[in-house]
């Protein structure tokens, strides 16, 4: 398991998670700085890379995203996400009690740990919306994963040796299932730079066990897809990140991106190991 200890979950609509910061919908109360009677709203802007579920897995650059918030009790800010040229904006509000509210253009969302420069934004976020052929009655899919630009990419399996991630999130659910599949998923980086992946549902394989050699791990971490055995995961990359949260603690997370082909995707998924 990785080393981070402070976590937040930012959740909308019917999605439920047992992490500490969750909310959906709701109004706001504007606050600001009193500067000689002049009202001045204070916004904090956090920048992100956006990994979209249908972007090419074969070395395609990430999109650009952002979260703007005004702190507890502040006015409504915004989250901007999606592939270049097709970006979507939604609301982002922090209540006086510290709960986060995503706007109407986000069906559901999860936040992973606090942001180094903003305790009311996540280090990573998963955004989920209805897509034809998605999961469940609402056809929900994790369409985008946002990674703070303060996070540092890790390109070598040896740099991750000894880390084990036992939480897998896809479609804004643990395990990617409804009801959530909390246990049974593991991504382990071994001492020689190889990796072992066990996924109960979805991801790079279904109900399977997969060993990646050090060469395959390094390729996947550097944006060169490796062949796997999932329903859409015939080509898979693993984008690993080291980051610091708002308390200054170091954490790690891995974004898994798979598809039926390396470019011109017809089907794809994006998930988070945490």
């Amino acid at each position: 398991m990785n080393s981070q200890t402070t976590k937040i979950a930012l959740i909308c609509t019917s999605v439920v998670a047992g992490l500490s910061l969750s909310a959906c919908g709701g109004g706001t109360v504007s606050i600001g700085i009193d500067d000689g009677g002049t009202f001045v709203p204070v916004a904090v802007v956090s920048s992100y890379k956006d990994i979209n579920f249908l972007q090419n897995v074969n070395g395609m650059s990430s999109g650009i995203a952002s979260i703007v918030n005004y702190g507890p009790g502040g006015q409504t800010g915004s989250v901007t996400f999606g592939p270049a040229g097709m970006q979507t904006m939604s609301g982002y509000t922090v209540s006086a009690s510290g709960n986060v509210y995503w706007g109407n253009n986000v069906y559901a969302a999860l936040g992973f740990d606090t942001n180094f420069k903003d305790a009311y934004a996540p280090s990573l976020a998963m955004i989920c919306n209805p897509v034809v052929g998605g999961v469940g009655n609402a056809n929900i899919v994790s369409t985008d994963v946002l990674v703070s630009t303060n996070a540092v990419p890790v390109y070598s399996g040896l740099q991750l040796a000894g880390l084990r991630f036992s939480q897998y999130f896809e479609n804004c659910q643990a395990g990617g299932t409804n009801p959530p599949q909390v246990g049974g998923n593991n991504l382990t980086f071994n001492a020689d730079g190889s990796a072992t992946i066990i996924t109960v549902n979805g991801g790079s394989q279904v109900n399977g066990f997969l060993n990646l050699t050090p060469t395959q791990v390094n390729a996947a971490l550097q944006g060169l897809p490796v062949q796997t055995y999932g329903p859409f995961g015939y080509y898979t990359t693993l984008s690993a990140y080291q980051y610091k949260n708002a308390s200054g603690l170091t954490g790690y997370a891995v974004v898994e991106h798979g598809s039926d082909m390396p470019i011109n995707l017809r089907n794809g998924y994006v998930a988070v190991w945490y």
Side-chain angles (χ1 to χ4, degrees):
M1 186 64 189
N2 57 45
S3 60
Q4 61 268 27
T5 59
T6 304
K7 304 177 183 178
I8 62 172
L10 317 178
I11 304 168
C12 274
T13 59
S14 60
V15 175
V16 178
L19 305 181
S20 61
L21 183 61
S22 63
C24 181
T28 67
V29 177
S30 296
I31 62 172
I33 296 174
D34 184 3
D35 182 17
T38 302
F39 179 80
V40 182
V42 178
V44 178
V45 181
S46 299
S47 299
Y48 297 85
K49 302 174 184 178
D50 186 321
I51 303 173
N52 184 265
F53 78 125
L54 289 182
Q55 77 179 45
N56 293 346
V57 295
N58 193 5
M60 181 177 180
S61 299
S62 301
I64 298 173
S66 65
I67 291 177
V68 179
N69 82 85
Y70 290 82
Q75 68 189 67
T76 299
S78 63
V79 52
T80 302
F81 63 96
M86 300 176 60
Q87 289 191 309
T88 299
M89 181 176 287
S90 191
Y92 191 92
T93 307
V94 184
S95 73
S97 59
N99 291 326
V100 170
Y101 297 76
W102 298 74
N104 292 334
N105 288 330
V106 175
Y107 180 90
L110 293 176
F112 301 90
D113 221 331
T114 53
N115 191 287
F116 178 58
K117 293 187 176 180
D118 182 5
Y120 298 102
S123 286
L124 291 88
M126 174 178 287
I127 293 177
C128 302
N129 274 316
V131 172
V132 175
V135 177
N137 294 333
N139 290 320
I140 300 305
V141 167
S142 45
T143 60
D144 298 85
V145 170
L146 313 185
V147 181
S148 172
T149 54
N150 294 317
V152 179
V154 180
Y155 297 115
S156 168
L158 287 175
Q159 292 179 268
L160 300 169
L163 290 180
R164 178 173 175 266
F165 301 85
S166 59
Q167 299 182 71
Y168 175 83
F169 295 90
E170 187 181 347
N171 307 323
C172 288
Q173 295 281 9
T177 64
N178 190 7
Q181 178 69 45
V182 177
N185 298 298
N186 287 285
L187 167 59
T188 303
F189 290 92
N190 305 310
D192 64 351
S194 64
T196 303
I197 303 175
I198 301 173
T199 308
V200 174
N201 182 78
S204 54
Q205 71 272 308
V206 176
N207 295 324
F209 180 94
L210 179 65
N211 281 319
L212 297 178
T213 68
T215 298
Q216 289 175 312
V217 170
N218 288 344
L221 291 173
Q222 294 168 25
L224 300 175
V226 297
Q227 192 167 9
T228 53
Y229 307 103
F232 303 139
Y234 305 126
Y235 298 92
T236 302
T237 57
L238 301 171
S239 300
Y241 298 93
Q242 180 191 71
Y243 65 88
K244 289 187 181 296
N245 64 20
S247 299
L249 299 176
T250 298
Y252 292 84
V254 177
V255 180
E256 180 177 317
H257 182 206
S259 70
D260 57 344
M261 54 183 59
I263 60 174
N264 301 323
L265 278 62
R266 296 170 299 186
N267 293 294
Y269 72 93
V270 63
V272 172
W273 289 96
Y274 184 61

